[in-house]
Amino acid sequence: MNDFAAGAAYVDQQLVPISEAKISLLDWGFLHSDATYDVVHVWNGQFFRLYDHLERFYQGMDKLRMSIPYSREELTQVLMGCVKATGLRDAYVEMITTRGQPRVGSRDPRTCGNQFYAFAIPFVWITKPQTGLHMVITSQQRIPAACVDPMIKNYHWLDLVMGQYEAYGRGGETAVLVDADGHLTEGPGFNVFTVQGQVICTPARGVLAGITRRTVIELAAAQGYKVIMGDLLAGHACAADEVFITSTAGGIMPITKIDSQAIGHGVVGPITQGLQQAYWDMHHDPAYSVCVDY
Amino acid sequence: MNDFAAGAAYVDQQLVPISEAKISLLDWGFLHSDATYDVVHVWNGQFFRLYDHLERFYQGMDKLRMSIPYSREELTQVLMGCVKATGLRDAYVEMITTRGQPRVGSRDPRTCGNQFYAFAIPFVWITKPQTGLHMVITSQQRIPAACVDPMIKNYHWLDLVMGQYEAYGRGGETAVLVDADGHLTEGPGFNVFTVQGQVICTPARGVLAGITRRTVIELAAAQGYKVIMGDLLAGHACAADEVFITSTAGGIMPITKIDSQAIGHGVVGPITQGLQQAYWDMHHDPAYSVCVDY
């Protein structure tokens, strides 16, 4: 039995089984959620759009004034090492940089030594791509960009968690949060899209620039749809022909019900299916793939 | 040499030296900052306002739909155990509840088993009470209450951290963040007060209901000042006679400069000093103290 089958982590420059992967209680990555991260997936033995994820990760660190002693090539080797240890062909791979701990007695983040962590675990699905989810548009507001830059992938999720509980309480399975003006933003770990005729729409602001979101925008444009990044109101979403969400954890996932109302015919729509097909096909394109050297 | 001299923690129902106090990378307390906490201090061998801190901590858990298997009395014994292990007469004591880990493959917080952690370390001062700090009113906005309820003490600090960096860049030592309308809110770990004549003012909304803040409001009223909880604009703060900040980590700490301008005469003012005196005197009052049974 492989100790690493349930997952492998890179902690203190060492590979350990995921059950032993721990962070100090005093790391401000925990105590202040002062951290940035990224998640890339491995599908059929290949990383998908790894360089795009790395690029976003390094940009997040720059914005938070953090750094790690690894080049993109070295970081790739670290992530590869985690996946190899598990032997997983389909994996969810997370890389994390935290502020670390300040000098004893200090409250100055500039005295901290930044820490790096990574782990690979079996692929995580928010939901299976064939299953339509019931989404609730919450009264809960998402943290605005003026407070925490959503371009920095971050762990400030209490609003998303409270939104999830609100959704459960209203009979839903997942949640999308609004901004102060009632526009849709994002949900726990995903971006949201609507389809109306030949027009595909996704919120422009106050959301993470998801790599899956970007992939869908590229694929939709290539398939001849008009893609609009703009403001999305609840009424617009409920009246759409199709709605779907996007995440590295699951790709493109259909929403077939919003606030207890069926979307379109209440089944997974043809445009969503076409984009799903194109999305998974793209995983065979060497331009977007990095093979894990098992 | 006491292994616990640098601090003691309660992790997995065991007391460990602080250097060994760790949390799983997969705990959503870390990965989603899905946690609440409280900090109480021990001064001269006594907890100060422990029951008020416990009350707030249990309220925060309720709001986040978390629970721990300890009554207030049992929790007191756990915290007491941490302090006793260190032997510290003056300590900073933190209690934390996290969401924990979901069932394998699930993203549903209701499947998580909540986790409890606590630690005691030497008393932390944001700054010494005699030293006036240079505070910057940042352009950085604090996360609004509509997104994350500030009455739930939480680790969503990236805005505070970015505010701190902004303050350093502008020659300051600490930061106070504004809301979307430019009103002052709070800084990293503290509430803020102004003194103008016999009127003491502190922001009413979008801030943690600090226990030290409450203590100051009570003491100020008892000393005959008029206390206003309301909106505080930058101009109001800069024109004040005195400004101070409050935190469990340090008590009442003077601000003698804001945005490079002296406040009042640029020295610690008499009303601030009077409140400091009353604040530390209150630590001798048995009504507010719980002795550590060393």
Coordinates of all heavy atoms in Angstrom, one line a residue, chain A residues 18 21-26 29-34 64-65 94 99 107-110 119 126 140-144 146-147 154-159 161 164-165 168 188, chain B residues 18 21-26 29-34 65 94 99 107-110 119 126 140-144 146-147 154-159 161-162 164-165 168 188:
Chain A
I18 N -0.2 13.0 2.8 CA -1.1 14.2 3.0 C -1.6 14.2 4.5 O -1.8 15.3 5.0 CB -2.3 14.2 2.0 CG1 -3.1 15.5 2.1 CG2 -3.2 13.0 2.2 CD1 -2.4 16.7 1.6
A21 N 0.6 16.4 6.5 CA 0.9 17.7 6.0 C 0.3 18.8 6.9 O -0.9 18.9 6.9 CB 0.3 17.9 4.6
K22 N 1.1 19.5 7.5 CA 0.6 20.5 8.5 C 1.4 21.8 8.4 O 2.5 21.9 7.9 CB 0.8 19.9 9.9 CG -0.1 18.6 10.1 CD -0.1 18.1 11.5 CE -1.1 16.9 11.5 NZ -1.2 16.2 12.7
I23 N 0.7 22.8 9.0 CA 1.2 24.2 9.0 C 1.2 24.7 10.5 O 0.2 24.3 11.2 CB 0.4 25.1 8.0 CG1 0.9 26.5 8.1 CG2 -1.1 25.0 8.2 CD1 0.2 27.4 7.1
S24 N 2.2 25.4 10.9 CA 2.2 26.0 12.2 C 0.9 26.8 12.5 O 0.5 27.6 11.6 CB 3.4 26.8 12.5 OG 3.3 27.5 13.7
L25 N 0.3 26.6 13.7 CA -0.8 27.5 14.1 C -0.4 28.9 14.0 O -1.3 29.8 13.9 CB -1.2 27.2 15.5 CG -2.1 26.0 15.9 CD1 -2.4 26.0 17.4 CD2 -3.4 26.0 15.1
L26 N 0.9 29.3 14.2 CA 1.3 30.7 14.3 C 1.6 31.3 12.9 O 1.9 32.5 12.8 CB 2.6 30.8 15.2 CG 2.4 30.3 16.6 CD1 3.7 30.7 17.4 CD2 1.2 31.0 17.3
G29 N -0.4 32.7 7.5 CA -1.2 32.2 6.5 C -2.5 31.6 7.1 O -3.6 31.7 6.5
F30 N -2.4 31.1 8.3 CA -3.6 30.7 9.0 C -4.2 31.8 9.9 O -5.3 32.2 9.7 CB -3.2 29.5 9.9 CG -4.3 29.1 10.8 CD1 -5.6 28.7 10.3 CD2 -4.1 29.0 12.2 CE1 -6.6 28.3 11.2 CE2 -5.2 28.6 13.1 CZ -6.4 28.3 12.5
L31 N -3.4 32.4 10.7 CA -3.9 33.4 11.7 C -4.4 34.7 11.1 O -5.2 35.4 11.7 CB -2.8 33.8 12.7 CG -2.5 32.7 13.8 CD1 -1.5 33.2 14.8 CD2 -3.7 32.1 14.5
H32 N -3.9 35.0 9.9 CA -4.4 36.2 9.2 C -4.9 35.9 7.8 O -5.1 36.8 7.0 CB -3.3 37.3 9.1 CG -2.9 37.9 10.4 ND1 -1.8 38.7 10.6 CD2 -3.5 37.7 11.6 CE1 -1.7 39.0 11.9 NE2 -2.7 38.5 12.5
S33 N -5.0 34.6 7.5 CA -5.4 34.2 6.1 C -4.5 35.0 5.1 O -5.0 35.5 4.0 CB -6.9 34.4 5.8 OG -7.2 33.7 4.6
D34 N -3.3 35.2 5.5 CA -2.3 36.0 4.7 C -1.5 35.1 3.8 O -0.4 34.7 4.1 CB -1.4 36.8 5.7 CG -0.6 37.9 5.0 OD1 -0.6 38.0 3.8 OD2 0.2 38.6 5.7
L64 N 1.0 40.6 -3.1 CA 1.1 40.5 -1.6 C 2.5 40.7 -1.1 O 2.7 40.6 0.1 CB 0.5 39.1 -1.2 CG -0.9 38.8 -1.4 CD1 -1.3 37.4 -0.9 CD2 -1.8 39.9 -0.8
R65 N 3.4 41.0 -1.9 CA 4.8 41.2 -1.5 C 5.4 40.0 -0.8 O 6.0 40.0 0.2 CB 4.9 42.4 -0.6 CG 4.2 43.6 -1.2 CD 4.7 44.9 -0.7 NE 3.7 45.9 -1.0 CZ 3.9 47.2 -0.8 NH1 5.0 47.6 -0.2 NH2 3.0 48.1 -1.1
E94 N -2.5 21.7 -5.5 CA -2.6 23.1 -4.9 C -1.2 23.5 -4.5 O -0.4 22.7 -3.9 CB -3.5 23.0 -3.7 CG -3.8 24.4 -3.1 CD -5.1 24.6 -2.4 OE1 -6.0 23.7 -2.7 OE2 -5.3 25.5 -1.6
R99 N 2.4 34.1 4.5 CA 3.3 35.1 5.0 C 4.4 34.5 5.9 O 5.5 35.0 5.9 CB 2.5 36.2 5.8 CG 3.3 37.4 6.3 CD 3.7 38.3 5.1 NE 2.5 38.8 4.5 CZ 2.5 39.5 3.3 NH1 3.7 39.7 2.7 NH2 1.4 39.9 2.8
R107 N 4.8 42.6 15.2 CA 3.5 42.5 14.4 C 3.7 43.0 13.0 O 2.8 43.3 12.3 CB 2.4 43.3 15.1 CG 2.2 43.0 16.6 CD 1.1 42.0 16.8 NE -0.2 42.7 16.6 CZ -1.3 42.1 16.9 NH1 -1.4 41.0 17.5 NH2 -2.5 42.7 16.6
D108 N 5.0 43.1 12.6 CA 5.4 43.6 11.3 C 5.5 42.5 10.2 O 6.4 41.7 10.3 CB 6.7 44.4 11.4 CG 7.1 45.1 10.2 OD1 6.6 44.8 9.1 OD2 7.9 46.1 10.3
P109 N 4.6 42.5 9.2 CA 4.7 41.4 8.2 C 6.0 41.4 7.5 O 6.4 40.3 6.9 CB 3.5 41.7 7.3 CG 3.2 43.1 7.5 CD 3.5 43.4 8.9
R110 N 6.7 42.5 7.5 CA 8.0 42.5 6.8 C 9.1 41.7 7.5 O 10.1 41.4 6.9 CB 8.5 44.0 6.6 CG 7.5 44.8 5.7 CD 7.9 46.3 5.8 NE 7.8 46.8 7.1 CZ 8.1 48.1 7.5 NH1 8.4 48.9 6.6 NH2 8.0 48.5 8.7
F119 N 0.4 20.4 -2.4 CA -0.1 19.1 -2.3 C -0.9 18.6 -3.5 O -1.4 19.4 -4.2 CB -0.9 18.9 -1.0 CG -2.2 19.7 -0.9 CD1 -3.4 19.3 -1.5 CD2 -2.2 20.9 -0.3 CE1 -4.6 20.0 -1.4 CE2 -3.4 21.7 -0.2 CZ -4.6 21.2 -0.8
I126 N -16.6 19.6 -8.1 CA -17.7 20.3 -7.4 C -19.0 19.6 -7.6 O -19.8 19.4 -6.7 CB -17.7 21.8 -7.9 CG1 -16.5 22.6 -7.4 CG2 -19.0 22.5 -7.4 CD1 -16.5 24.0 -7.8
Q140 N -26.4 37.2 0.6 CA -25.0 37.3 1.1 C -24.2 38.0 0.0 O -24.2 37.6 -1.2 CB -24.5 35.9 1.4 CG -23.0 35.9 1.6 CD -22.6 36.5 2.9 OE1 -23.1 36.2 4.0 NE2 -21.6 37.4 2.8
Q141 N -23.5 39.1 0.3 CA -22.6 39.8 -0.6 C -21.2 39.2 -0.6 O -20.6 38.8 0.4 CB -22.5 41.3 -0.3 CG -23.8 42.0 -0.6 CD -23.8 43.4 -0.2 OE1 -22.7 44.0 -0.2 NE2 -24.9 44.0 0.1
R142 N -20.6 39.2 -1.8 CA -19.2 38.8 -1.9 C -18.3 40.0 -1.5 O -18.6 41.1 -1.8 CB -18.9 38.4 -3.4 CG -17.4 38.0 -3.7 CD -17.1 36.6 -3.1 NE -15.8 36.1 -3.4 CZ -14.9 35.7 -2.5 NH1 -15.1 35.8 -1.2 NH2 -13.7 35.3 -2.9
I143 N -17.1 39.7 -0.9 CA -16.1 40.7 -0.5 C -15.7 41.5 -1.8 O -15.3 40.9 -2.8 CB -14.9 40.0 0.1 CG1 -15.2 39.3 1.4 CG2 -13.8 41.1 0.3 CD1 -14.1 38.4 1.9
P144 N -15.9 42.8 -1.7 CA -15.6 43.6 -3.0 C -14.1 43.7 -3.3 O -13.2 43.6 -2.4 CB -16.2 45.0 -2.7 CG -16.4 45.0 -1.2 CD -16.4 43.6 -0.6
A146 N -12.4 46.3 -3.8 CA -11.8 47.4 -3.2 C -11.2 47.0 -1.8 O -10.3 47.7 -1.3 CB -12.8 48.5 -2.9
C147 N -11.6 45.8 -1.3 CA -11.1 45.3 0.0 C -10.1 44.3 -0.2 O -9.0 44.3 0.3 CB -12.3 44.8 0.8 SG -13.6 46.0 1.1
N154 N -7.3 33.9 -3.2 CA -7.1 34.0 -1.7 C -8.1 33.1 -1.0 O -9.1 32.7 -1.6 CB -7.2 35.4 -1.3 CG -8.6 36.0 -1.5 OD1 -9.5 35.7 -0.7 ND2 -8.8 36.8 -2.6
Y155 N -7.9 33.0 0.3 CA -8.7 32.1 1.1 C -9.8 32.8 1.9 O -10.3 32.3 2.9 CB -7.8 31.3 2.1 CG -6.9 30.3 1.5 CD1 -5.6 30.2 1.9 CD2 -7.4 29.4 0.6 CE1 -4.7 29.2 1.4 CE2 -6.5 28.4 0.0 CZ -5.2 28.3 0.4 OH -4.4 27.4 -0.1
H156 N -10.1 34.0 1.5 CA -11.2 34.8 2.2 C -12.5 34.3 1.8 O -13.2 34.8 0.9 CB -11.0 36.3 2.0 CG -9.9 36.9 2.8 ND1 -8.7 36.3 2.9 CD2 -9.8 38.0 3.4 CE1 -7.9 37.0 3.6 NE2 -8.5 38.1 4.0
W157 N -13.0 33.2 2.4 CA -14.2 32.5 2.0 C -15.3 32.5 2.9 O -16.3 31.8 2.7 CB -13.8 31.0 1.8 CG -13.2 30.6 0.5 CD1 -12.2 31.2 -0.2 CD2 -13.7 29.5 -0.4 NE1 -12.0 30.6 -1.4 CE2 -12.9 29.5 -1.5 CE3 -14.7 28.6 -0.3 CZ2 -13.0 28.6 -2.6 CZ3 -14.8 27.6 -1.3 CH2 -14.0 27.7 -2.5
L158 N -15.3 33.2 4.0 CA -16.4 33.2 5.0 C -17.7 33.6 4.3 O -18.7 33.1 4.7 CB -16.1 34.0 6.2 CG -15.4 33.3 7.4 CD1 -15.2 34.2 8.6 CD2 -16.1 32.0 7.8
D159 N -17.6 34.6 3.4 CA -18.8 35.1 2.7 C -19.4 33.9 1.9 O -20.6 33.7 1.8 CB -18.6 36.3 1.9 CG -17.3 36.2 1.0 OD1 -16.6 35.3 1.1 OD2 -17.2 37.1 0.2
V161 N -18.9 30.7 2.3 CA -19.4 29.6 3.2 C -20.8 30.0 3.8 O -21.7 29.2 3.7 CB -18.4 29.4 4.4 CG1 -19.0 28.5 5.4 CG2 -17.1 28.9 3.9
Q164 N -23.2 29.5 1.1 CA -23.5 28.1 0.9 C -24.6 27.7 1.9 O -25.5 27.0 1.6 CB -22.2 27.3 1.1 CG -21.8 26.6 -0.1 CD -20.4 25.9 0.1 OE1 -19.5 26.5 0.7 NE2 -20.3 24.7 -0.3
Y165 N -24.4 28.1 3.2 CA -25.4 27.7 4.2 C -26.8 28.4 3.8 O -27.8 27.7 4.0 CB -25.0 28.2 5.6 CG -24.1 27.2 6.2 CD1 -22.7 27.3 6.3 CD2 -24.6 26.0 6.8 CE1 -21.9 26.4 6.9 CE2 -23.8 25.0 7.4 CZ -22.4 25.3 7.5 OH -21.6 24.3 8.1
Y168 N -28.3 26.2 1.2 CA -28.8 24.9 1.7 C -30.2 25.2 2.4 O -31.2 24.4 2.2 CB -27.9 24.3 2.7 CG -26.6 23.9 2.2 CD1 -25.4 24.0 2.9 CD2 -26.5 23.2 0.9 CE1 -24.2 23.6 2.4 CE2 -25.2 22.8 0.4 CZ -24.1 23.0 1.2 OH -22.9 22.6 0.7
P188 N -18.6 29.5 -4.4 CA -17.5 28.9 -3.7 C -16.6 28.1 -4.7 O -16.8 27.0 -4.9 CB -18.1 28.0 -2.6 CG -19.6 28.0 -2.9 CD -19.9 29.1 -3.9
Chain B
I18 N 4.6 25.1 21.8 CA 4.1 25.9 20.7 C 4.8 25.6 19.4 O 4.1 25.7 18.3 CB 4.1 27.5 21.1 CG1 3.4 28.3 20.0 CG2 5.5 28.0 21.2 CD1 1.9 28.1 20.1
A21 N 2.9 23.0 17.6 CA 1.4 23.3 17.4 C 1.1 23.5 15.9 O 1.5 24.5 15.4 CB 1.0 24.5 18.2
K22 N 0.4 22.5 15.4 CA 0.2 22.5 13.9 C -1.2 22.1 13.6 O -1.9 21.5 14.4 CB 1.2 21.6 13.2 CG 2.6 22.1 13.4 CD 3.6 21.3 12.6 CE 5.0 22.0 12.9 NZ 6.1 21.3 12.2
I23 N -1.7 22.6 12.4 CA -3.0 22.3 11.9 C -2.8 21.7 10.5 O -1.9 22.0 9.8 CB -3.8 23.6 11.9 CG1 -5.2 23.4 11.2 CG2 -3.1 24.7 11.2 CD1 -6.1 24.6 11.3
S24 N -3.7 20.8 10.2 CA -3.6 20.1 8.9 C -3.8 21.2 7.7 O -4.6 22.1 7.8 CB -4.7 19.1 8.7 OG -4.8 18.7 7.3
L25 N -3.0 21.0 6.7 CA -3.1 21.9 5.5 C -4.5 21.8 5.0 O -5.0 22.8 4.3 CB -2.2 21.4 4.4 CG -0.7 21.9 4.4 CD1 -0.1 21.4 3.1 CD2 -0.6 23.4 4.5
L26 N -5.2 20.7 5.2 CA -6.5 20.5 4.5 C -7.7 21.0 5.4 O -8.8 21.0 5.0 CB -6.8 19.0 4.2 CG -5.8 18.3 3.3 CD1 -6.3 16.9 3.0 CD2 -5.6 19.1 2.0
G29 N -10.2 25.7 8.1 CA -9.8 26.8 8.9 C -8.7 27.5 8.2 O -8.5 28.8 8.2
F30 N -7.8 26.7 7.5 CA -6.7 27.3 6.7 C -7.2 27.6 5.3 O -7.1 28.7 4.8 CB -5.5 26.4 6.8 CG -4.4 26.8 5.9 CD1 -3.8 28.1 6.0 CD2 -3.9 25.9 4.9 CE1 -2.8 28.4 5.1 CE2 -2.8 26.3 4.1 CZ -2.3 27.5 4.2
L31 N -7.7 26.5 4.6 CA -7.9 26.6 3.2 C -9.1 27.5 2.8 O -9.2 28.0 1.7 CB -8.2 25.2 2.6 CG -7.0 24.2 2.5 CD1 -7.5 23.0 1.8 CD2 -5.8 24.8 1.8
H32 N -10.0 27.8 3.7 CA -11.1 28.7 3.5 C -11.2 29.8 4.5 O -12.1 30.6 4.6 CB -12.4 28.0 3.4 CG -12.5 27.0 2.3 ND1 -13.6 26.1 2.1 CD2 -11.8 26.9 1.1 CE1 -13.4 25.5 1.0 NE2 -12.4 25.9 0.4
S33 N -10.2 29.9 5.4 CA -10.2 30.8 6.5 C -11.6 30.7 7.2 O -12.2 31.7 7.6 CB -9.9 32.3 6.1 OG -9.6 33.1 7.2
D34 N -12.1 29.5 7.3 CA -13.4 29.2 7.8 C -13.2 28.9 9.3 O -13.1 27.7 9.7 CB -14.0 28.1 7.0 CG -15.5 27.8 7.3 OD1 -16.0 28.5 8.2 OD2 -16.1 27.0 6.7
R65 N -22.3 28.5 12.6 CA -22.8 27.1 12.7 C -21.7 26.1 13.0 O -21.6 25.0 12.3 CB -23.5 26.7 11.4 CG -24.5 27.8 11.0 CD -25.5 27.3 10.1 NE -26.2 28.5 9.5 CZ -27.3 28.4 8.8 NH1 -27.8 27.2 8.5 NH2 -27.8 29.4 8.2
E94 N -5.0 32.5 22.9 CA -5.9 32.5 21.8 C -6.7 31.1 21.7 O -6.1 30.1 22.0 CB -5.1 32.7 20.5 CG -6.0 32.8 19.2 CD -5.3 33.6 18.1 OE1 -4.4 34.4 18.4 OE2 -5.7 33.4 17.0
R99 N -13.6 25.0 10.8 CA -14.6 24.2 10.2 C -14.1 22.7 10.2 O -14.9 21.8 10.4 CB -14.9 24.6 8.8 CG -16.0 23.9 8.0 CD -17.3 24.2 8.6 NE -17.6 25.7 8.4 CZ -18.6 26.3 9.0 NH1 -19.5 25.6 9.7 NH2 -18.8 27.6 8.8
R107 N -17.6 18.8 -0.9 CA -17.3 20.2 -0.7 C -18.4 20.8 0.2 O -18.5 22.1 0.3 CB -17.3 21.0 -2.1 CG -16.5 20.3 -3.1 CD -15.2 21.0 -3.3 NE -15.3 22.3 -3.9 CZ -14.3 23.0 -4.3 NH1 -13.0 22.6 -4.1 NH2 -14.4 24.2 -4.8
D108 N -19.0 20.0 1.0 CA -20.2 20.5 1.8 C -19.7 20.7 3.2 O -19.3 19.8 3.9 CB -21.2 19.4 1.8 CG -22.5 19.8 2.5 OD1 -22.4 20.7 3.4 OD2 -23.6 19.2 2.2
P109 N -19.7 22.0 3.7 CA -19.2 22.2 5.0 C -19.9 21.5 6.1 O -19.4 21.3 7.2 CB -19.4 23.8 5.2 CG -20.4 24.2 4.1 CD -20.2 23.1 3.0
R110 N -21.2 21.0 5.8 CA -21.9 20.3 6.8 C -21.4 19.0 7.1 O -21.7 18.3 8.1 CB -23.4 20.2 6.4 CG -24.1 21.6 6.3 CD -25.5 21.5 5.7 NE -25.4 20.9 4.3 CZ -26.4 20.7 3.5 NH1 -27.6 21.0 3.9 NH2 -26.2 20.2 2.3
F119 N -3.9 28.3 22.3 CA -2.4 28.5 22.7 C -2.2 29.7 23.6 O -3.0 30.6 23.6 CB -1.5 28.5 21.5 CG -1.7 29.7 20.5 CD1 -1.1 30.9 20.8 CD2 -2.5 29.5 19.4 CE1 -1.3 32.0 19.9 CE2 -2.7 30.6 18.5 CZ -2.1 31.8 18.8
I126 N 1.0 45.5 20.7 CA 1.0 46.2 19.4 C 2.0 47.3 19.5 O 2.9 47.5 18.6 CB -0.4 46.7 19.0 CG1 -1.3 45.5 18.7 CG2 -0.3 47.6 17.8 CD1 -2.7 45.9 18.3
Q140 N -7.0 51.9 1.3 CA -7.5 50.6 1.4 C -8.7 50.5 2.2 O -8.8 51.0 3.3 CB -6.4 49.7 2.1 CG -6.8 48.3 2.5 CD -7.0 47.4 1.3 OE1 -6.1 47.3 0.5 NE2 -8.1 46.8 1.2
Q141 N -9.7 49.8 1.7 CA -11.0 49.7 2.4 C -11.1 48.4 3.2 O -10.6 47.4 2.8 CB -12.2 49.7 1.4 CG -12.4 51.0 0.7 CD -13.5 51.0 -0.3 OE1 -14.4 50.1 -0.2 NE2 -13.5 51.9 -1.3
R142 N -11.8 48.5 4.3 CA -12.0 47.3 5.2 C -13.2 46.5 4.6 O -14.1 47.0 4.1 CB -12.3 47.7 6.6 CG -12.6 46.6 7.6 CD -11.3 45.8 7.9 NE -11.5 44.8 9.0 CZ -11.2 43.5 8.8 NH1 -10.7 43.1 7.7 NH2 -11.4 42.7 9.8
I143 N -13.1 45.2 4.7 CA -14.2 44.3 4.3 C -15.5 44.7 5.0 O -15.5 44.8 6.2 CB -13.9 42.8 4.6 CG1 -12.7 42.3 3.8 CG2 -15.1 41.9 4.4 CD1 -12.1 41.0 4.3
P144 N -16.6 45.0 4.2 CA -17.8 45.5 4.9 C -18.5 44.4 5.6 O -18.4 43.2 5.3 CB -18.6 46.0 3.7 CG -18.1 45.4 2.5 CD -16.7 45.0 2.8
A146 N -21.6 43.6 5.4 CA -22.5 42.9 4.5 C -21.8 41.7 3.9 O -22.5 40.7 3.5 CB -23.0 43.8 3.4
C147 N -20.5 41.6 4.0 CA -19.8 40.5 3.4 C -19.3 39.5 4.5 O -19.6 38.3 4.4 CB -18.6 41.0 2.6 SG -19.0 42.1 1.3
N154 N -12.7 37.1 13.1 CA -12.3 36.3 12.0 C -10.9 36.6 11.5 O -10.4 37.7 11.8 CB -13.3 36.3 10.9 CG -13.4 37.7 10.3 OD1 -12.5 38.1 9.5 ND2 -14.3 38.5 10.6
Y155 N -10.4 35.8 10.7 CA -9.0 35.9 10.2 C -8.9 36.5 8.8 O -7.9 36.4 8.1 CB -8.3 34.5 10.1 CG -8.0 33.9 11.5 CD1 -8.3 32.6 11.7 CD2 -7.4 34.7 12.5 CE1 -8.0 32.0 13.0 CE2 -7.1 34.1 13.7 CZ -7.4 32.7 14.0 OH -7.1 32.2 15.2
H156 N -10.0 37.2 8.4 CA -9.9 37.8 7.0 C -9.2 39.1 7.1 O -9.8 40.2 7.3 CB -11.4 38.0 6.5 CG -12.0 36.8 6.1 ND1 -11.9 35.6 6.7 CD2 -12.8 36.5 5.0 CE1 -12.6 34.6 6.1 NE2 -13.1 35.2 5.0
W157 N -7.9 39.0 7.0 CA -7.0 40.1 7.3 C -6.2 40.7 6.1 O -5.4 41.5 6.2 CB -5.9 39.7 8.3 CG -6.3 39.9 9.7 CD1 -7.5 39.4 10.4 CD2 -5.6 40.5 10.8 NE1 -7.5 39.8 11.7 CE2 -6.3 40.4 12.0 CE3 -4.3 41.2 10.8 CZ2 -5.9 41.0 13.2 CZ3 -3.9 41.7 12.0 CH2 -4.6 41.6 13.2
L158 N -6.5 40.1 4.9 CA -5.6 40.6 3.8 C -5.8 42.1 3.5 O -4.8 42.8 3.2 CB -5.9 39.8 2.5 CG -5.2 38.6 2.2 CD1 -5.5 37.9 0.9 CD2 -3.6 38.8 2.3
D159 N -7.0 42.6 3.8 CA -7.2 44.1 3.6 C -6.3 44.8 4.7 O -5.7 45.9 4.4 CB -8.7 44.5 3.7 CG -9.4 43.9 4.9 OD1 -8.8 43.0 5.6 OD2 -10.5 44.3 5.2
V161 N -3.6 43.7 6.1 CA -2.2 43.5 5.8 C -1.8 44.5 4.7 O -0.8 45.2 4.7 CB -1.9 42.1 5.3 CG1 -0.5 41.9 4.8 CG2 -2.2 41.1 6.5
M162 N -2.7 44.6 3.6 CA -2.4 45.5 2.5 C -2.4 47.0 3.1 O -1.6 47.8 2.6 CB -3.4 45.4 1.4 CG -3.2 44.0 0.6 SD -1.7 43.9 -0.3 CE -0.6 43.0 0.8
Q164 N -1.5 47.8 6.1 CA -0.2 48.0 6.8 C 0.9 48.3 5.8 O 1.7 49.2 6.1 CB 0.1 46.7 7.5 CG 0.1 46.8 9.0 CD 0.2 45.5 9.7 OE1 -0.5 44.5 9.3 NE2 1.0 45.4 10.7
Y165 N 1.0 47.6 4.7 CA 2.0 47.9 3.7 C 1.9 49.3 3.2 O 2.8 50.1 3.0 CB 2.0 46.9 2.6 CG 2.8 45.6 2.9 CD1 2.2 44.5 3.3 CD2 4.2 45.7 2.9 CE1 2.9 43.3 3.6 CE2 4.9 44.5 3.2 CZ 4.3 43.3 3.6 OH 5.0 42.2 3.9
Y168 N 3.3 51.7 5.8 CA 4.7 51.7 5.8 C 5.2 52.5 4.6 O 6.2 53.3 4.8 CB 5.3 50.3 5.7 CG 5.0 49.3 6.9 CD1 4.7 48.0 6.6 CD2 5.0 49.8 8.2 CE1 4.4 47.1 7.7 CE2 4.7 48.9 9.2 CZ 4.4 47.6 9.0 OH 4.1 46.8 10.0
P188 N -5.3 46.8 12.0 CA -4.9 45.4 12.2 C -4.9 45.0 13.7 O -4.0 45.2 14.4 CB -3.5 45.2 11.6 CG -3.1 46.6 11.3 CD -4.2 47.5 11.3

